[in-house]
Amino acid sequence: MFVKIKDILAGKYPDGEEVQVGGWVVKNRSSGKIVFTVIRDSSGEIQVTTKKGNVCDDALREADALSLEASTIIKGKVRTDPRAPGGRELVATDVKIVGASRDYPIFGEGHNPEVLLDLRHLHIRSKELVAIMKVKDSVLSSCREWFRASGFYEVTPPIIMSSSCEGGSTLFELKYFDEKAYLSQSAQLYLESLIFGLEKVYSVTPSFRAEKSRTTRHLAEYWHIEGEMAWVGLYEMIDMLEQLVSYVCNKTAEERHEELRMLGSDPEYFKNLKPPFPRITYDEAVKILQADGFDFKWGDDFGTHEERQLSMHYDKPLFITEYPLEVKAFYMKDAGNAKVLNVDMIAPRGFGEIIGGSERETDLALLEERIRKQGEDPAKYGWYLDLRRYGSVPHSGFGMGAERLVRWICNQEHIRDTIPYPRTISRFNP
């Protein structure tokens, strides 16, 4: 039976007890009669000492032949040694190479990022990416915990759609048998239909945006955490979003303290992040930018530079509400004065937008008019408009980019390292 390295390092097995570990070689050096190997499994790394006299000659040769990323099975006795990484090591009693690894193409540091993306299927094993994937696992699981505890039902909306949700310019088109279809930009429209039976729903699905953006926070394919709630107005939803984000950050920092420290993040900040978060209106945000010297006019939408500047004024996530109607999607509720009842959540320290949401428009005539202004035919949205014809209720919803949230929590420069295989404007391989 295999044991996990983290359990050895944690003292679960006393000195002298023989255990068996399966893992991959991180480094290996030999002096002929003694071999020092560091191996890893999914839980951690440990040093293995293989010494002539403790193992048979064949096992010593196997240990000497271990190379970077070779897989191996090692039997050994646990020993406390303050000089060893983690303070404990294995004194090998048997070593077996399972899968050889000759001339491993990623060696040392300083590789060109594009080379590492070409070798993503191998680079995904790196200590940093493994740590990020563990953090992401905690983010997704804690999101689901919060939704379930808050009375939401998880649902499974489609990702093949017949019409646009966020605008036609960013749609990925595909042939669906003999018809034209699109990959989902958002599950929102379908989630809205589900609240009429379930009231509070959420989904975790892939979304696709054909945005020709080469920024550090855009992906063509990403994971979308979306919620929709009947009988909930914008500001009640903002209260809920504070609770969701703080819960996810607190729980993730508690579970992944070591990983976050290794990645250069501050787990104590995320562990202690609590509501309330600052809230300003779009009008107030415009005044801040203008006071900071930005040439920004009312009616413009915020870009990367504007969001970064605004976030620098706060040490918590920032909610910005009531944007101009003309820069937002057709389904956002008209607030009057050429504004909509919407909210964006901007992460601090320049990490940008993480959540976008709104109260949804329930006026059928207004919806039809705004769909036409978007250049679309309301008939294509017939099923969606039916939701306003038959028992419509006030409701609100939001979408949160999983990778953007993980990027902020992990303090990563580029979003491409928050997903196993990033899809961008220039890359869909491997």
Side-chain angles (χ1 to χ4, degrees):
M1 185 179 74
F2 293 103
V3 304
K4 304 306 291 183
I5 288 173
K6 71 174 182 179
D7 292 333
I8 300 172
L9 297 177
K12 185 174 179 179
Y13 303 96
D15 281 16
E17 182 168 348
E18 186 174 68
V19 296
Q20 178 175 258
V21 173
W24 293 264
V25 175
V26 176
K27 54 186 174 182
N28 197 50
R29 60 184 178 89
S30 172
S31 63
K33 295 184 179 180
I34 187 168
V35 181
F36 295 99
T37 311
V38 176
I39 67 167
R40 62 167 177 83
D41 65 10
S42 63
S43 70
E45 297 180 357
I46 194 168
Q47 178 174 286
V48 178
T49 301
T50 308
K51 192 174 182 180
K52 186 176 178 64
N54 290 343
V55 297
C56 67
D57 290 345
D58 286 345
L60 186 62
R61 282 192 291 272
E62 290 271 288
D64 191 57
L66 288 171
S67 57
L68 183 62
E69 286 302 316
S71 57
T72 180
I73 295 175
I74 293 176
K75 291 181 180 178
K77 294 182 179 180
V78 177
R79 182 171 71 181
T80 299
D81 187 342
R83 298 168 298 176
R88 311 196 94 195
E89 68 171 6
L90 288 180
V91 178
T93 55
D94 191 31
V95 177
K96 179 181 179 182
I97 297 175
V98 177
S101 175
R102 298 180 181 87
D103 302 318
Y104 188 68
I106 304 175
F107 182 77
E109 299 179 356
H111 289 276
N112 183 301
E114 290 300 314
V115 172
L116 293 179
L117 288 169
D118 289 339
L119 297 170
R120 190 68 162 198
H121 52 292
L122 300 177
H123 188 225
I124 201 76
R125 311 174 183 191
S126 70
K127 184 184 295 188
E128 292 77 13
L129 289 182
V130 166
I132 293 169
M133 294 307 116
K134 289 181 179 179
V135 172
K136 192 173 188 178
D137 168 73
S138 291
V139 165
L140 293 173
S141 63
S142 57
C143 276
R144 285 188 163 99
E145 286 175 10
W146 184 89
F147 279 121
R148 179 172 286 273
S150 301
F152 284 73
Y153 296 93
E154 183 169 9
V155 294
T156 53
I159 60 172
I160 297 175
M161 306 179 74
S162 60
S163 57
S164 161
C165 178
E166 297 292 339
S169 64
T170 64
L171 282 168
F172 280 107
E173 185 179 314
L174 59 90
K175 185 178 180 182
Y176 188 70
F177 300 100
D178 293 326
E179 301 289 336
K180 183 187 294 185
Y182 308 95
L183 292 177
S184 173
Q185 298 166 310
S186 166
Q188 179 203 315
L189 305 188
Y190 293 97
L191 294 184
E192 286 190 60
S193 72
L194 285 156
I195 66 170
F196 292 84
L198 297 169
E199 297 192 65
K200 294 165 73 174
V201 298
Y202 80 97
S203 63
V204 182
T205 60
S207 283
F208 305 85
R209 304 283 173 95
E211 294 175 304
K212 295 182 179 179
S213 301
R214 298 182 185 274
T215 75
T216 58
R217 62 191 186 105
H218 281 93
L219 292 167
E221 176 188 21
Y222 65 98
W223 285 84
H224 215 166
I225 301 162
E226 298 181 84
E228 204 74 26
M229 299 145 282
W231 314 108
V232 171
L234 174 67
Y235 296 98
E236 184 182 353
M237 181 179 72
I238 293 175
D239 292 341
M240 297 172 72
L241 292 177
E242 284 183 327
Q243 297 297 327
L244 168 62
V245 171
S246 59
Y247 179 83
V248 170
C249 289
N250 299 165
K251 187 72 180 291
T252 299
E254 184 180 328
E255 290 182 352
R256 302 301 178 192
H257 190 274
E258 292 181 12
E259 286 83 0
L260 292 178
R261 287 183 64 85
M262 189 268 285
L263 291 166
S265 185
D266 181 1
E268 292 305 316
Y269 168 84
F270 290 103
K271 190 173 181 179
N272 295 298
L273 184 65
K274 304 291 183 190
F277 297 166
R279 304 180 187 187
I280 61 174
T281 64
Y282 172 89
D283 291 356
E284 291 169 326
V286 170
K287 291 177 181 177
I288 292 171
L289 289 173
Q290 291 173 343
D292 289 347
F294 276 65
D295 182 17
F296 190 88
K297 298 182 291 296
W298 197 98
D300 293 340
D301 202 358
F302 301 129
T304 301
H305 299 299
E306 289 81 13
E307 288 180 356
R308 172 181 289 276
Q309 184 64 23
L310 290 167
S311 75
M312 294 302 181
H313 288 268
Y314 305 91
D315 64 355
K316 287 184 176 182
L318 168 67
F319 289 116
I320 306 176
T321 60
E322 298 185 23
Y323 283 58
L325 182 148
E326 293 300 321
V327 301
K328 288 300 178 181
F330 69 88
Y331 50 74
M332 295 187 179
K333 188 170 184 62
D334 192 331
N337 299 317
K339 299 176 186 177
V340 290
L341 287 176
N342 81 300
V343 65
D344 283 350
M345 192 191 87
I346 311 298
R349 296 186 291 114
F351 281 93
E353 179 192 343
I354 287 177
I355 295 176
S358 74
E359 189 168 334
R360 310 313 193 189
E361 184 58 72
T362 54
D363 187 297
L364 177 60
L366 275 179
L367 268 177
E368 290 178 328
E369 178 186 344
R370 291 175 68 185
I371 289 171
R372 289 190 189 95
K373 282 187 177 180
Q374 185 178 278
E376 297 275 8
D377 180 359
K380 291 173 60 178
Y381 294 84
W383 71 269
Y384 178 71
L385 296 174
D386 275 352
L387 304 179
R388 273 56 177 178
R389 294 187 178 101
Y390 306 112
S392 184
V393 296
H395 61 289
S396 299
F398 68 93
M400 177 165 64
E403 286 75 25
R404 289 188 176 187
L405 179 60
V406 171
R407 176 178 172 245
W408 169 47
I409 294 174
C410 290
N411 193 37
Q412 292 300 291
E413 180 180 352
H414 205 293
I415 199 168
R416 66 189 171 213
D417 287 332
T418 63
I419 194 165
Y421 290 93
R423 297 298 183 243
T424 64
I425 186 175
S426 58
R427 181 174 293 278
F428 60 96
N429 184 62

